[in-house]
Amino acid sequence: MNDKEQKIFFYTTFGCHLCEKVEAMLIEISNQFKDKFHYQIVAFDIIDDDKIFDQYRYSIPVLKKEKDDVELGWPFDYQQLCDWLDLD
């Protein structure tokens, strides 16, 4: 990870169709904004941690920036995700 990259935690779980939509959006955005997309996406299955599970069980998919703990929770669209990532 270079100095410009920051981690984004992607709270998800197996079989979550909304999470699959967000994953597809992230792939599309990273391809569209190759020069601006400086994020390392770290998927975290909420089932692996009781506290995280209790916190996000009804709200996944959720993205959270490690740097400032700012979250983006579902529902959101492609443009809202781009705005949250500061890509426009």
Side-chain angles (χ1 to χ4, degrees):
M1 179 171 77
N2 66 38
D3 292 337
K4 292 183 179 181
E5 278 188 347
Q6 69 171 293
K7 286 184 184 176
I8 292 179
F9 297 106
F10 176 26
Y11 295 105
T12 184
T13 197
F14 180 76
C16 170
H17 72 281
L18 296 175
C19 300
E20 292 169 2
K21 286 183 180 186
V22 171
E23 183 178 3
M25 281 194 281
L26 286 167
I27 291 168
E28 187 174 334
I29 287 170
S30 69
N31 289 329
Q32 180 180 355
F33 295 96
K34 289 178 185 173
D35 296 336
K36 295 181 183 180
F37 193 87
H38 302 289
Y39 299 99
Q40 177 187 15
I41 308 300
V42 179
F44 189 91
D45 192 327
I46 64 169
I47 201 76
D48 293 335
D49 183 291
D50 290 340
K51 183 179 175 187
I52 299 293
F53 179 78
D54 288 341
Q55 184 174 356
Y56 293 110
R57 68 191 291 179
Y58 298 114
S59 58
I60 59 170
V62 173
L63 299 170
K64 182 177 179 179
K65 292 179 182 176
E66 179 185 46
K67 186 176 183 179
D68 54 15
D69 286 338
V70 175
E71 291 184 356
L72 180 64
W74 189 261
F76 54 86
D77 62 23
Y78 186 87
Q79 186 58 53
Q80 290 169 315
L81 179 55
C82 287
D83 293 344
W84 185 76
L85 293 168
D86 297 321
L87 295 175
D88 289 333

